[in-house]
Amino acid sequence: AQSVTQLDSHVSVSEGTPVLLRCNYSSSYSPSLFWYVQHPNKGLQLLLKYTSAATLVKGINGFEAEFKKSETSFHLTKPSAHMSDAAEYFCVVSDMETGGSYIPTFGRGTSLIVHP
Amino acid sequence: DGGITQSPKYLFRKEGQNVTLSCEQNLNHDAMYWYRQDPGQGLRLIYYSQIVNDFQKGDIAEGYSVSREKKESFPLTVTSAQKNPTAFYLCASSPGQLLYNSPLHFGNGTRLTVT
């Protein structure tokens, strides 16, 4: 069985300071991991994904994430926050479960607040 | 441009009425999903379909029904049996089993309010 835990429900930063959104996962297989962003009343947009290639993954808008198998973590970072980064962020794990089904599992989300 | 279209964006219904949410995709994706989003609870899977004419229950299927008669379409009906239907509903698609590590593509959602 797979699961994902986003360790913070809210993260507050000042514009221009680094961003860290934490995600831990549990998976029986070799998982694929994703980060998505959601702006208010919108669908989710893919930020980046890890699929067993390089452990440091670069995404859109300056975000990146590092896959650490020993820590079962996939934290999202950005060196310098921008006001437009304020949104909800979701960590997602996906692997081939029993029966061959592919069902992504979502974390509960982290709300990123950016102060001027 | 390829994508997923959900309609309507906002929907209001009286308690006891069934309501159907539309989801159409032109990405030629095999798999489609319905999620429900409530504040602080992330996305919860209602139903999913890996191929036409086949669908499976997700974690919270009670009070919902779906059909998959065409590859492009995956409508969701919220029935009167759903005890707390007011929520934001998101439809998604992906290429399917053979590309299991492909990301999901999402529509912009339908906000359903039942009073």
Side-chain angles (χ1 to χ4, degrees), chain B:
Chain B
D1 284 340
I4 298 182
T5 301
Q6 290 189 244
S7 60
K9 187 172 177 65
Y10 299 96
L11 193 52
F12 298 88
R13 280 295 182 270
K14 295 288 188 186
E15 194 173 320
Q17 293 179 333
N18 291 355
V19 60
T20 297
L21 282 59
S22 170
C23 178
E24 303 278 332
Q25 55 103 353
N26 61 3
L27 298 165
N28 199 33
H29 283 172
D30 287 319
M32 297 186 75
Y33 310 79
W34 274 106
Y35 290 91
R36 171 182 170 138
Q37 186 175 23
D38 297 283
Q41 297 200 44
L43 274 66
R44 293 182 290 169
L45 183 65
I46 304 172
Y47 268 97
Y48 65 99
S49 168
Q50 302 283 5
I51 57 171
V52 175
N53 292 323
D54 185 55
F55 49 83
Q56 306 295 329
K57 292 182 179 180
D59 300 319
I60 56 165
E62 186 175 349
Y64 300 97
S65 66
V66 294
S67 63
R68 187 87 187 276
E69 297 176 2
K70 298 186 299 182
K71 188 174 186 177
E72 304 79 18
S73 179
F74 192 41
L76 173 74
T77 297
V78 184
T79 75
S80 56
Q82 168 51 232
K83 291 187 171 69
N84 186 18
T86 294
F88 190 51
Y89 290 88
L90 286 160
C91 180
S93 72
S94 72
Q97 291 299 116
L98 292 179
L99 293 171
Y100 73 94
N101 58 4
S102 293
L104 296 174
H105 294 253
F106 283 88
N108 279 328
T110 292
R111 187 166 296 281
L112 173 64
T113 303
V114 176
T115 57

Side-chain angles (χ1 to χ4, degrees), chain A residues 30 32 34 36 38 41-46 49 51 88 90 94-96 100-104 106-109, chain B residues 9-10 33 35 37 40-43 45 48 50 88 90 94 96-97 100-104 106-109 111:
Chain A
S30 296
S32 294
F34 308 83
Y36 290 84
Q38 183 184 33
N41 293 310
K42 294 289 189 182
L44 279 69
Q45 179 186 15
L46 179 70
K49 70 174 184 178
T51 55
E88 191 84 11
F90 292 94
S94 175
D95 63 28
M96 294 296 283
S101 296
Y102 154 63
I103 306 299
F106 284 76
R108 292 196 167 200
Chain B
K9 187 172 177 65
Y10 299 96
Y33 310 79
Y35 290 91
Q37 186 175 23
Q41 297 200 44
L43 274 66
L45 183 65
Y48 65 99
Q50 302 283 5
F88 190 51
L90 286 160
S94 72
Q97 291 299 116
Y100 73 94
N101 58 4
S102 293
L104 296 174
F106 283 88
N108 279 328
R111 187 166 296 281

Side-chain angles (χ1 to χ4, degrees), chain A:
Chain A
Q2 60 190 19
S3 66
V4 60
T5 302
Q6 291 185 243
L7 297 165
D8 306 291
S9 59
H10 296 85
V11 169
S12 183
V13 301
S14 297
E15 190 175 21
T17 64
V19 175
L20 170 64
L21 305 183
R22 299 182 295 165
C23 173
N24 286 112
Y25 71 92
S26 171
S27 173
S28 303
Y29 301 91
S30 296
S32 294
L33 293 156
F34 308 83
W35 276 99
Y36 290 84
V37 60
Q38 183 184 33
H39 292 277
N41 293 310
K42 294 289 189 182
L44 279 69
Q45 179 186 15
L46 179 70
L47 275 180
L48 49 82
K49 70 174 184 178
Y50 165 78
T51 55
S52 75
T55 56
L56 183 62
V57 182
K58 293 189 184 299
I60 62 171
N61 300 336
F63 284 94
E64 62 181 38
E66 186 171 7
F67 174 71
K68 292 187 177 180
K69 187 174 182 179
S70 60
E71 298 176 10
T72 61
S73 69
F74 190 57
H75 301 335
L76 181 70
T77 61
K78 183 173 180 177
S80 176
H82 192 273
M83 294 297 292
S84 61
D85 294 328
E88 191 84 11
Y89 291 80
F90 292 94
C91 182
V92 179
V93 63
S94 175
D95 63 28
M96 294 296 283
E97 297 194 0
T98 303
S101 296
Y102 154 63
I103 306 299
T105 298
F106 284 76
R108 292 196 167 200
T110 298
S111 179
L112 177 63
I113 301 159
V114 182
H115 299 285

